[in-house]
Amino acid sequence: MIEISKDKSRLDVNLIHEFLTETYWAKGRTIDEVKTSIDHCLCFGVFLENMQIGFARIATDYVVFAYLMDVFILPEHRGKGYSKQLMKAVNEEPLLQSCKVWMLKTSDAHKLYSQFGYSELRHPEKVMERILK
C-alpha cells in the first residue's frame, strides 16, 4: 500500500530532479529550479515502504486557481493504480476545495486526467499563454 504525503521534508529532491530532467516537459531543469518549484508549491510525495516512487505539485492561490504539474510515478511502479490514487488525493485535498479553476498541460496522459474531470479547454479563445525560450 502506498502513502501520499504533503510533508516536503520527506521528498527526495534528487530523485525528483533526476526523473524530471528526462521528461519532455522539464528537460534541462536544474536542481536549484526543482528546489525552488517545490518551495513555492503544494507538493505530494508518493511513498512505497518509505521509498519515494512518485510526485505531483500544485501552484495555487488556495482560493481560485490550481495548476497541476510534474506528476509522475516511477516507471517500475506504473500499472498498479498509484497515479489514480495520487490524483484522488490531489482532487480531495482540503486546502484546494475552494479552487474552481484547475489546469494542467499534458502530451500523453489525457486518459488518466479525464477520469478526474479534466477536459480540453471549453473556451480556448479566452486562454492565452506566454512562453519564453
Side-chain angles (χ1 to χ4, degrees):
M1 172 146 68
I2 63 166
E3 178 188 1
I4 298 172
S5 173
K6 297 179 298 185
D7 181 354
K8 291 182 185 181
S9 71
R10 293 185 64 192
L11 295 175
D12 183 341
V13 176
N14 290 322
L15 174 116
I16 295 167
H17 174 253
E18 188 176 305
F19 181 87
L20 290 178
T21 58
E22 298 301 318
T23 65
Y24 68 85
W25 72 86
K27 197 163 206 64
R29 195 176 295 170
T30 68
I31 188 89
D32 287 336
E33 290 170 333
V34 169
K35 288 176 183 176
T36 299
S37 69
I38 289 170
D39 288 345
H40 294 280
C41 289
L42 176 62
C43 298
F44 296 79
V46 182
F47 299 89
L48 181 63
E49 298 174 2
N50 286 320
M51 299 272 302
Q52 187 171 354
I53 64 162
F55 178 74
R57 69 183 179 93
I58 310 284
T60 184
D61 61 10
Y62 296 96
V63 178
V64 178
F65 186 76
Y67 194 113
L68 178 62
M69 294 180 279
D70 295 341
V71 179
F72 70 85
I73 299 294
L74 293 176
E76 60 268 28
H77 297 284
R78 292 180 186 161
K80 299 173 182 154
Y82 298 153
S83 62
K84 290 178 186 171
Q85 290 177 61
L86 174 57
M87 287 302 301
K88 184 176 186 304
V90 167
N91 276 4
E92 294 178 359
E93 170 54 44
L95 293 170
L96 300 173
Q97 292 311 298
S98 71
C99 295
K100 300 296 182 231
V101 177
W102 288 67
M103 295 190 79
L104 63 81
K105 289 184 179 180
T106 186
S107 290
D108 58 1
H110 296 79
K111 185 176 177 185
L112 169 66
Y113 297 121
S114 66
Q115 296 174 57
F116 294 92
Y118 290 87
S119 64
E120 292 187 16
L121 293 174
R122 289 189 186 143
H123 302 285
E125 71 281 1
K126 293 182 179 183
V127 178
M128 297 178 70
E129 65 183 358
R130 178 177 178 236
I131 299 180
L132 306 176
K133 292 188 180 196

